[in-house]
């Protein structure tokens, strides 16, 4: 994996250092695989991040939501319903790194079902970094679901290292809420209607101290976050593949009245895969 070029991030306010800001990579990084620790430095969250209860850094953002997605050259976010077919070993290293840095991983119910989500695991490579930042050994998985049509007998709910969260709306079935809680999940109501309101979801998570937020989609959930203006950063892997067909893009939902502009923060490359990072302006 090599850094193609340094990018000066000009989108952050002066009081908040750019996430992952670093000088140009040393020459030895151009010709070898980066370690997980080096990737963690490159993808670090902005600092400081605070919760609303912590007044020590009032100018700092109270949470940071980044998305991690993969797309082919022709815009497909999946092949045969899953993203694995368009991923790579380097993409999976970055996937693991982003999880290793996050307090919480947010995913839509359909993505959880299709991708076979399991509990996040603690990894030795990130243990010291997480302990120093006051994080749990592994990130919390937060599943977004209006219907709560989930299999609560799965290990994701019954045996996670840290309890799984379920985000839903006020109109959710009380019986399904009880099923979720009986399995060991914690249910958070983040919407007055049947579904979850993106701004309330990210705020509720931040109020729990889960300020380093990562979403892995799917496209509909990412579209909702983008449309609500709560997405701060997009980590997008561009795979050197063509799939044709009619696969979903990385976002789904109604067209925004005006396109939202993002600024390029960094680019890495390995085996033709581009690993880009964009920040909302």
């Amino acid at each position: 994996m090599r850094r193609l070029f340094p990018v000066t991030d000009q989108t952050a306010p002066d009081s908040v250092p750019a996430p992952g800001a670093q000088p140009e990579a040393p020459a030895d990084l151009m010709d070898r695989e980066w370690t997980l620790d080096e990737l963690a430095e490159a993808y670090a969250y902005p600092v400081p991040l605070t919760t609303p209860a912590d007044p020590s850094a009032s100018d700092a953002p109270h949470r940071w939501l980044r998305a991690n997605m993969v797309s082919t050259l022709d815009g497909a976010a999946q092949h045969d319903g899953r993203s694995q077919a368009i991923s790579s070993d380097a993409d999976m290293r970055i996937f693991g790194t982003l999880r290793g840095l996050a307090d919480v991983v947010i995913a839509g119910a359909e993505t959880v079902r299709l991708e076979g989500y399991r509990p996040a695991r603690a990894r030795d490579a990130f243990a010291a970094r997480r302990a120093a930042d006051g994080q749990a050994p592994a990130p919390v998985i937060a599943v977004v679901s209006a219907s709560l049509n989930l299999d609560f007998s799965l290990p994701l709910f019954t045996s996670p290292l840290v309890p799984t969260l379920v985000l839903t709306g006020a109109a959710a079935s009380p019986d399904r809420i009880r099923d979720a809680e009986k399995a060991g999940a914690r249910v958070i109501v983040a919407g007055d209607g049947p579904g979850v309101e993106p701004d309330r979801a990210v705020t509720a998570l931040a109020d729990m101290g889960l300020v380093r937020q990562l979403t892995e989609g799917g496209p509909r959930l990412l579209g909702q976050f983008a449309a609500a203006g709560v997405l701060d950063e997009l980590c997008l892997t561009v795979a050197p593949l063509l799939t044709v067909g009619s696969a979903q893009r990385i976002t789904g939902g109604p067209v925004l009245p005006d396109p939202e502009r993002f600024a390029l923060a960094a680019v890495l490359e390995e085996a033709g895969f581009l690993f880009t990072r964009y920040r909302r302006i």
Side-chain angles (χ1 to χ4, degrees):
M1 182 176 294
R2 61 191 181 91
R3 186 183 181 93
L4 291 184
F5 51 84
V7 178
T8 301
D9 193 323
Q10 300 177 347
T11 66
D14 293 340
S15 60
V16 183
Q22 74 247 274
E24 186 171 0
D28 71 310
L29 288 184
M30 304 291 280
D31 300 313
R32 65 172 173 81
E33 180 178 297
W34 286 25
T35 67
L36 290 179
D37 197 53
E38 288 163 343
L39 283 175
E41 288 296 325
Y43 283 92
Y45 278 83
V47 291
L49 283 176
T50 70
T51 62
D54 178 5
S56 62
S58 59
D59 291 334
H62 292 318
R63 55 105 190 129
W64 188 269
L65 176 64
R66 67 168 34 143
N68 182 34
M69 301 292 283
V70 59
S71 171
T72 63
L73 295 175
D74 52 350
Q78 53 190 227
H79 185 64
D80 283 341
R82 300 189 64 183
S83 61
Q84 184 176 0
I86 61 174
S87 183
S88 69
D89 289 344
D91 185 45
M92 294 309 297
R93 287 201 300 276
I94 290 176
F95 173 90
T97 299
L98 295 182
R99 279 198 166 196
L101 297 174
D103 295 325
V104 58
V105 177
I106 312 167
E110 186 68 10
T111 295
V112 167
R113 287 189 289 263
L114 289 174
E115 301 285 352
Y117 267 50
R118 298 184 62 82
R121 59 190 178 92
R123 302 182 63 184
D124 291 343
F126 300 102
R129 184 183 296 270
R130 294 186 69 86
D133 288 337
Q135 294 175 287
V140 177
I141 303 293
V143 183
V144 177
S145 176
S147 68
L148 299 185
N149 182 22
L150 297 160
D151 184 352
F152 294 119
S153 69
L154 293 175
L156 176 62
F157 302 103
T158 61
S159 58
L161 187 61
V162 287
T164 295
L165 303 177
V166 177
L167 301 173
T168 192
S173 163
D175 289 340
R176 294 303 292 164
I177 290 177
R178 282 191 292 270
D179 290 341
E181 292 174 338
K182 185 177 178 180
R186 177 175 177 182
V187 178
I188 299 173
V189 174
D192 292 330
V196 169
E197 298 169 20
D199 56 340
R200 286 184 58 177
V202 296
T203 299
L205 294 171
D207 287 347
M208 297 172 63
L210 305 174
V211 295
R212 302 171 186 87
Q213 300 173 358
L214 169 67
T215 181
E216 297 169 350
R220 184 170 60 178
L221 180 63
L222 181 55
Q224 292 171 348
F225 282 140
V230 298
L231 181 67
D232 300 295
E233 180 180 338
L234 173 63
C235 298
L236 176 64
T237 296
V238 180
L241 303 169
L242 295 173
T243 63
V244 195
S246 58
Q248 281 186 299
R249 300 185 305 167
I250 65 168
T251 58
V255 176
L256 292 176
D258 297 297
E260 188 167 15
R261 181 68 184 270
F262 280 65
L264 182 65
V267 181
L268 303 174
E269 183 272 345
E270 182 174 288
F273 283 77
L274 297 182
F275 306 96
T276 68
R277 187 161 54 84
Y278 290 87
R279 297 190 63 207
R280 181 163 58 99
I281 296 176

